[in-house]
Every structure is written in C-alpha cells, then in structure tokens.
Amino acid sequence: MLLIIPGIVKSYAYSMTPYILADNPGIGMKRAVDLSNQMTRGQKWKMFVLDLSFIGWFILGTIALGIGVLFVLPYYNSTKAELYLVLRGQALHDGISSSAELNLPYV
C-alpha cells in the first residue's frame, strides 16, 4: 500500500509526457518528463476525478462483451488530449515553457 499510492500520483505526474514528445520530439525525454511534472503540479486530483468519471462507461462497455470499450476509448483519449491542451496553455501562460520549446508556431 505504501508504494501503490505514490505510484499512482507519479503516473499522473508523468502522464503528459507522450503529448509533449508528440508536440516536439526533439525536446528530450528528461525535459519532457520534467515539463509534464511541472504542468500537472496541483492538477493531479482533478485528473484523478476525470478518470473516475469514465469508470461507469468502461464498466458498461465491458458488460457489453467488451465491444463497448471500443467506443469509449476514443472518447477517453480525446478527453486526455484536450486536458493536455488546457495544461499546455496554462504552462505557456505561467512561463513554465515557451512556444518555441513546444514547437508551436502560433503562440
């Protein structure tokens, strides 16, 4: 139990790393992990509640012989992508990162 809860917290802290690397593959893994950790600081509980809101959909999809999960996953993944966009905008606003670092030409 002592390792499960910190592991869950760290998984939320590092959850934006793939999106950061998708924006700029040349940023480097260490900087992407650090940036993900900074972007999710103070947001982990809200991210956990967001994931909890999908439990009913996943249970319902599983009850439907697992086929329903195929319809829930795109909704879940697009919600996570939108969360990244919000956190990225907040990081740019707070000065945690720059638009050049994230390879964004329009900001």
Side-chain angles (χ1 to χ4, degrees):
M1 192 68 173
L2 291 174
L3 295 176
I4 293 172
I5 306 240
I8 292 171
V9 171
K10 280 300 176 187
S11 72
Y12 281 109
Y14 302 147
S15 65
M16 296 295 120
T17 303
Y19 299 101
I20 294 168
L21 288 171
D23 269 351
N24 186 1
I27 196 170
M29 184 59 110
K30 184 173 175 12
R31 177 62 181 149
V33 168
D34 183 46
L35 190 56
S36 175
N37 195 19
Q38 291 176 0
M39 286 170 65
T40 58
R41 190 168 289 140
Q43 303 296 323
K44 292 176 194 75
W45 178 254
K46 292 177 185 176
M47 292 168 67
F48 178 72
V49 171
L50 179 68
D51 283 346
L52 283 179
S53 71
F54 282 95
I55 284 183
W57 287 108
F58 281 115
I59 290 172
L60 190 63
T62 305
I63 289 173
L65 302 175
I67 295 172
V69 174
L70 295 174
F71 295 99
V72 176
L73 280 175
Y75 178 45
Y76 177 75
N77 289 330
S78 64
T79 302
K80 288 296 227 181
E82 185 65 31
L83 172 66
Y84 167 69
L85 292 176
V86 170
L87 291 177
R88 181 181 73 183
Q90 189 64 37
L92 291 171
H93 180 266
D94 292 344
I96 294 172
S97 182
S98 67
S99 59
E101 182 178 38
L102 292 176
N103 205 18
L104 302 175
Y106 56 86
V107 179

